[in-house]
Amino acid sequence: MKLLLVDDHAIVRSGLKRLLAPLPGAMIAEAATGRDALVRYREDRPDIVLLDLNLPGVGGLELLQRLLIEDPSACVLVFSMHAEALYASRALAAGAKGYMSKNADPDELLAAIRRLGEGGRYVENEIAQELAVHGMAAGNPTQRLTERDLEILRLLGEGRALAEIATELGVGYKTIANTCTAIKAKLGVARTADLIRLSIEMGVS
């Protein structure tokens, strides 16, 4: 089984390699950035890509979409620090075959890889339960949120004021205010207070 590990943290890639090495016929390649991952994918055509969402430059979801354009049959298992159903829902809607958080048990990660290797799909058990409870299917309005939208929602949920968010993200206050207006339209709410409530309810973090 040919695997491609895409994560910008060398220590994570090293740990994954040790975990995955005993898999039958495991051939493991690595990439630290989205650009490197595209090059390695073209060279190796791996059976499964383990993809972190938080990558420098080309983000994880954008890379997922590029891989699927390159190869519509690409088999991608998202392996992310985010254990919230919202992120899993977005990744699955974008074409990932599975989703695991970095909090998952190593045995469950191995089970997920085996499942994908057999042509199936796999979502971490706890996240799958949350997806079922909240009904976060592909048609959910949250699918229209960008990564920047999610970042702003997260900061709102932490109680940050718009001016503080603008400073943290290095943009103008008006830019943040306009983005919040767009997020409200996407989610069908009218007030910033509603965005804060939704952020907490959806567990954006």
Side-chain angles (χ1 to χ4, degrees):
M1 181 185 292
K2 296 167 70 175
L3 302 165
L4 173 59
L5 313 181
V6 186
D7 194 295
D8 60 329
H9 294 97
I11 193 167
V12 173
R13 299 195 306 273
S14 176
L16 282 172
K17 284 186 75 171
R18 286 197 298 272
L19 176 67
L20 302 176
L23 288 172
M27 298 174 59
I28 303 171
E30 303 177 41
T33 68
R35 293 184 186 283
D36 288 345
L38 284 169
V39 171
R40 293 308 301 264
Y41 191 89
R42 289 166 185 153
E43 291 175 349
D44 300 337
R45 291 288 167 170
D47 299 301
I48 299 174
V49 178
L50 268 75
L51 174 63
D52 183 24
L53 291 181
N54 296 91
L55 296 173
V58 178
L61 285 179
E62 182 181 349
L63 176 58
L64 171 59
Q65 291 163 350
R66 290 192 188 185
L67 287 172
L68 289 170
I69 291 171
E70 180 89 15
D71 177 10
S73 66
C75 183
V76 179
L77 174 64
V78 171
F79 184 59
S80 171
M81 62 179 283
H82 299 294
E84 296 80 26
L86 174 64
Y87 290 92
S89 178
R90 287 171 54 78
L92 295 170
K97 294 293 194 299
Y99 191 98
M100 297 289 296
S101 78
K102 292 179 180 178
N103 297 327
D105 186 279
D107 287 338
E108 189 174 4
L109 177 60
L110 290 171
I113 291 171
R114 293 189 189 99
R115 179 78 59 80
L116 267 65
E118 295 166 355
R121 296 172 178 269
Y122 194 96
V123 176
E124 183 179 336
N125 284 332
E126 288 188 14
I127 297 174
Q129 291 172 18
E130 190 178 342
L131 282 169
V133 168
H134 293 290
M136 290 183 180
N140 194 286
T142 57
Q143 301 303 331
R144 296 195 292 270
L145 299 180
T146 66
E147 291 186 40
R148 174 51 62 90
D149 292 342
L150 288 172
E151 179 71 1
I152 291 172
L153 267 183
R154 180 182 68 80
L155 293 170
L156 283 171
E158 291 177 358
R160 307 287 187 90
L162 296 189
E164 293 177 295
I165 295 173
T167 299
E168 176 153 339
L169 299 183
V171 298
Y173 174 88
K174 189 172 182 180
T175 298
I176 296 298
N178 289 341
T179 303
C180 281
T181 299
I183 297 172
K184 291 173 194 173
K186 291 174 183 178
L187 297 180
V189 299
R191 302 176 303 156
T192 300
D194 294 322
L195 292 183
I196 295 170
R197 174 181 57 78
L198 284 172
S199 173
I200 295 168
E201 288 179 356
M202 293 188 297
V204 179
S205 62

